[in-house]
Amino acid sequence: MLKLFLLASIYIFAVSQNDKAQIASIQFKVIQNGDSDRRYIWLHGDEQTARMALENHMKRYKGKAFLVQGILRESEFFGGIIDPNRIFSSDGAQANIQKYNPKWTQRKKSESLLAINKDRKSFFESIFPPNGELLVALHNNYKGYNIYKELSRSDANSIKKDQNPRDFFICTNRSDYEILSRSPFNVVLQEKPPNKDDGSLSWAANRNEIRYVNIETRLGWLSQQKKMLNFIEKNL
Ligand SMILES: [Zn+2]
């Protein structure tokens, strides 16, 4: 009986360890498979195709995945809302707090900004992979967004004739780009920091010299996103 109790305690300890992460009030579920340095992140709760692709992937392959909690694009934030992909720089977060919560007092705006700024470094330590490994973000898009919108801020691109322009990789590392450009899929390289940092994760990865790949696909195209994820698993 005691042995059973001990086993149960060890099990509870193992699964409860590192199973959550957060930045300010924005919560993430953490899925860990093995001890690989590879990291994955899903940031927009309404992009359910990307969540399914990632959860499916984590059952088979090693790494650590961070999944935002909630099913809406914007996360609950001190009684207001915020876009979780605009908090990764102070300027970006400040603009985003203003955009979504314009009626807040100056004091509340600055206190909530302070809360994000305070947590950012430790959150980066959780999600940025060590040892030069890769950080993979998964997103889905709706009508109106496609690879052509990224060309003006990209350093190189490879657009395939038989691929939908709404399905593409964005990467920050030139060696990764060389491999992805030889894949069946569309890809852009963004290796230089932008003129204006909007607070998105891609630019934070860029600034911190993290190898980052974003897999963008149309919402609902699960098999396409799985194929792109598998290509990364096998080739990067
Ligand atoms: Zn997204």
Side-chain angles (χ1 to χ4, degrees):
M1 190 63 192
L2 179 67
K3 200 174 171 188
L4 189 68
F5 173 76
L6 282 174
L7 279 173
S9 310
I10 290 164
Y11 176 72
I12 289 162
F13 178 71
V15 292
S16 64
Q17 215 185 11
N18 295 326
D19 63 346
K20 278 210 174 93
Q22 70 175 73
I23 173 165
S25 63
I26 306 166
Q27 309 269 341
F28 290 80
K29 178 175 90 173
V30 180
I31 303 174
Q32 182 154 10
N33 183 351
D35 58 358
S36 159
D37 290 332
R38 189 155 288 196
R39 299 280 187 270
Y40 298 89
I41 191 162
W42 173 65
L43 283 165
H44 286 136
D46 61 337
E47 296 171 1
Q48 289 287 317
T49 307
R51 178 187 60 77
M52 287 185 253
L54 180 54
E55 285 188 341
N56 174 73
H57 193 76
M58 294 310 294
K59 286 179 188 151
R60 296 177 58 191
Y61 299 106
K62 291 191 166 49
K64 196 190 254 191
F66 296 80
L67 294 99
V68 74
Q69 298 294 276
I71 54 161
L72 303 174
R73 182 173 187 82
E74 290 82 26
S75 290
E76 199 283 325
F77 184 67
F78 298 112
I81 55 169
I82 198 162
D83 180 339
N85 200 25
R86 292 289 181 275
I87 59 174
F88 298 108
S89 71
S90 187
D91 287 354
Q94 189 175 20
N96 206 241
I97 289 168
Q98 174 61 30
K99 177 181 172 186
Y100 287 104
N101 312 283
K103 295 201 170 118
W104 280 4
T105 61
Q106 273 314 320
R107 186 182 174 150
K108 184 157 186 184
K109 286 174 193 165
S110 56
E111 279 173 1
S112 58
L113 177 62
L114 208 64
I116 301 181
N117 288 350
K118 191 164 73 63
D119 284 358
R120 191 178 297 108
K121 192 165 172 263
S122 66
F123 189 69
F124 280 163
E125 280 164 13
S126 304
I127 64 167
F128 283 167
N131 306 316
E133 247 298 340
L134 189 65
L135 171 61
V136 180
L138 292 96
H139 287 271
N140 297 130
N141 56 59
Y142 306 85
K143 260 200 173 82
Y145 180 60
N146 58 57
I147 192 168
Y148 296 103
K149 310 261 179 199
E150 293 292 337
L151 293 187
S152 66
R153 52 190 146 172
S154 297
D155 303 294
N157 70 80
S158 169
I159 299 177
K160 313 297 194 293
K161 279 200 178 82
D162 61 345
Q163 287 287 305
N164 191 296
R166 286 169 57 200
D167 302 332
F168 58 99
F169 296 116
I170 300 175
C171 66
T172 60
N173 176 282
R174 191 167 278 272
S175 308
D176 292 334
Y177 172 78
E178 299 300 337
I179 293 166
L180 294 172
S181 67
R182 291 191 294 269
S183 80
F185 308 108
N186 298 322
V187 55
V188 292
L189 170 67
Q190 298 183 342
E191 62 181 352
K192 289 199 269 305
N195 296 328
K196 191 174 173 294
D197 187 329
D198 62 2
S200 67
L201 182 59
S202 62
W203 297 122
N206 197 304
R207 227 175 24 246
N208 289 277
E209 296 180 353
I210 299 293
R211 285 171 61 211
Y212 168 91
V213 178
N214 171 7
I215 311 177
E216 274 285 345
T217 70
R218 292 162 283 173
L219 186 71
W221 290 74
L222 181 59
S223 65
Q224 175 75 4
Q225 199 150 27
K226 282 181 175 174
K227 277 184 213 159
M228 293 169 77
L229 199 47
N230 270 329
F231 185 88
I232 289 177
E233 183 68 39
K234 302 272 160 23
N235 297 280
L236 295 187

